[in-house]
Amino acid sequence: DQQVKQNSPSLSVQEGRISILNCDYTNSMFDYFLWYKKYPAEGPTFLISISSIKDKNEDGRFTVFLNKSAKHLSLHIVPSQPGDSAVYFCAASSSGGSNYKLTFGKGTLLTVNP
Amino acid sequence: GAVVSQHPSWVICKSGTSVKIECRSLDFQATTMFWYRQFPKQSLMLMATSNEGSKATYEQGVEKDKFLINHASLTLSTLTVTSAHPEDSSFYICSANPFRGRPSYEQYFGPGTRLTVT
C-alpha cells in the first residue's frame, strides 16, 4: 500500500519553461512534506518543504503547493534549467509518529532540454 | 554544512559473506540515523531507524538478524549485511537527523553504497 504516490515516472520540459511535479498521499496523519532531488548513484538532497498549516512555500525558483483537502502537493520549478534534470522524490512525515520517519514516493525523472 | 558520508561507495562480495557499511555525519551530531535501500526505478524504502546508544527499530519485513545496525556514537552508524545473498544486491543509503535539542524532520543523506553480491 503506497502512501505517497508520484504517478508520473517522467517529465520532459523545455529550458526556461515551468516544471510541475505532482504528488498525492493517502495518509491523513501526514503533516509535513518534503521534496528531494537525486542524481544517479548519489543520495537525495533536500530542496524544499512545507508544513500542513501552510498551502504554499517558496524558495527561489522552487515553490511547493499543498492542497490538504485533495491530499495533493506539487513542486513548481520556474524557470527550469538543464541542471535541474534529476529524479525528484516527494516525501511525507507525521509528527505523531516516532523519529519523524519519511515515506517516499517512487520519484519523477525530470529532463530539462536546452 | 550537514554532510553525511558513506563508506564504501561500492562493494562486491561473495554469497555467504558479510559486509559492513559505515555512515558518518561529518559536521554535526545525529541522535537518529536512518537506513534505506533502493531498487532500480523504485522508491527509497526505509529499513530501520537507529538511535544512538539504543537498539535499532526495524520496519516490517526487514530481518533484524540479517541487517545488523549499530549506532555507537553521535556521528557513526553501521549496517552489516550478514550472510549476503544475490537478492541483497541493492543501493543502500543512510541519512542523519541533526541533534538540535528538539525533534526535526530534517534528514541529510549520504551518497549511498552500491552492494553487489555474486
Side-chain angles (χ1 to χ4, degrees):
Chain A
D1 175 32
Q2 226 185 328
Q3 298 186 65
V4 178
K5 300 177 184 178
Q6 292 177 259
N7 292 319
S8 297
S10 64
L11 173 68
S12 186
V13 171
Q14 208 62 30
E15 181 180 5
R17 298 289 186 104
I18 185 170
S19 295
I20 300 176
L21 298 110
N22 294 303
C23 178
D24 298 292
Y25 61 97
T26 57
N27 189 339
S28 56
M29 297 300 291
F30 288 145
D31 56 8
Y32 201 83
F33 305 88
L34 309 90
W35 284 93
Y36 283 85
K37 176 180 179 181
K38 185 180 182 299
Y39 294 113
E42 292 185 11
T45 53
F46 171 74
L47 268 181
I48 192 169
S49 62
I50 188 167
S51 164
S52 61
I53 62 173
K54 295 186 175 181
D55 55 18
K56 178 182 174 181
N57 188 26
E58 191 172 353
D59 184 2
R61 296 186 298 115
F62 302 93
T63 303
V64 56
F65 295 92
L66 175 62
N67 183 333
K68 277 201 308 181
S69 60
K71 292 192 178 68
H72 176 83
L73 63 154
S74 60
L75 173 68
H76 292 210
I77 306 173
V78 57
S80 302
Q81 300 172 354
D84 296 329
S85 298
V87 176
Y88 288 78
F89 287 98
C90 170
S93 185
S94 166
S95 57
S98 60
N99 289 319
Y100 290 68
K101 297 190 302 185
L102 297 180
T103 301
F104 284 85
K106 287 190 175 182
T108 297
L109 173 63
L110 173 65
T111 303
V112 180
N113 302 302
Chain B
V3 179
V4 176
S5 70
Q6 277 183 245
H7 178 80
S9 55
W10 60 272
V11 57
I12 301 173
C13 71
K14 291 189 175 180
S15 190
T17 61
S18 295
V19 173
K20 180 185 282 188
I21 302 170
E22 292 186 350
C23 176
R24 293 181 186 271
S25 55
L26 299 185
D27 50 3
F28 65 97
Q29 292 184 327
T31 49
T32 304
M33 289 184 170
F34 302 85
W35 286 96
Y36 298 82
R37 65 187 295 182
Q38 185 187 24
F39 294 104
K41 299 187 189 298
Q42 295 294 316
S43 179
L44 283 77
M45 298 300 297
L46 180 65
M47 298 174 66
T49 303
S50 145
N51 288 302
E52 186 265 337
S54 62
K55 289 184 178 180
T57 303
Y58 290 81
E59 294 299 301
Q60 193 172 13
V62 178
E63 299 175 61
K64 61 180 181 181
D65 294 329
K66 180 167 186 61
F67 298 100
L68 300 179
I69 291 172
N70 183 278
H71 193 156
S73 77
L74 287 172
T75 59
L76 172 65
S77 176
T78 61
L79 168 68
T80 301
V81 183
T82 62
S83 186
H85 288 101
E87 58 265 31
D88 298 325
S89 298
S90 189
F91 192 58
Y92 292 86
I93 308 176
C94 74
S95 69
N97 186 262
F99 176 68
R100 301 195 196 284
R102 55 175 171 76
S104 167
Y105 294 100
E106 298 173 71
Q107 287 187 31
Y108 296 95
F109 286 81
T113 297
R114 170 71 60 194
L115 169 64
T116 301
V117 184
T118 60

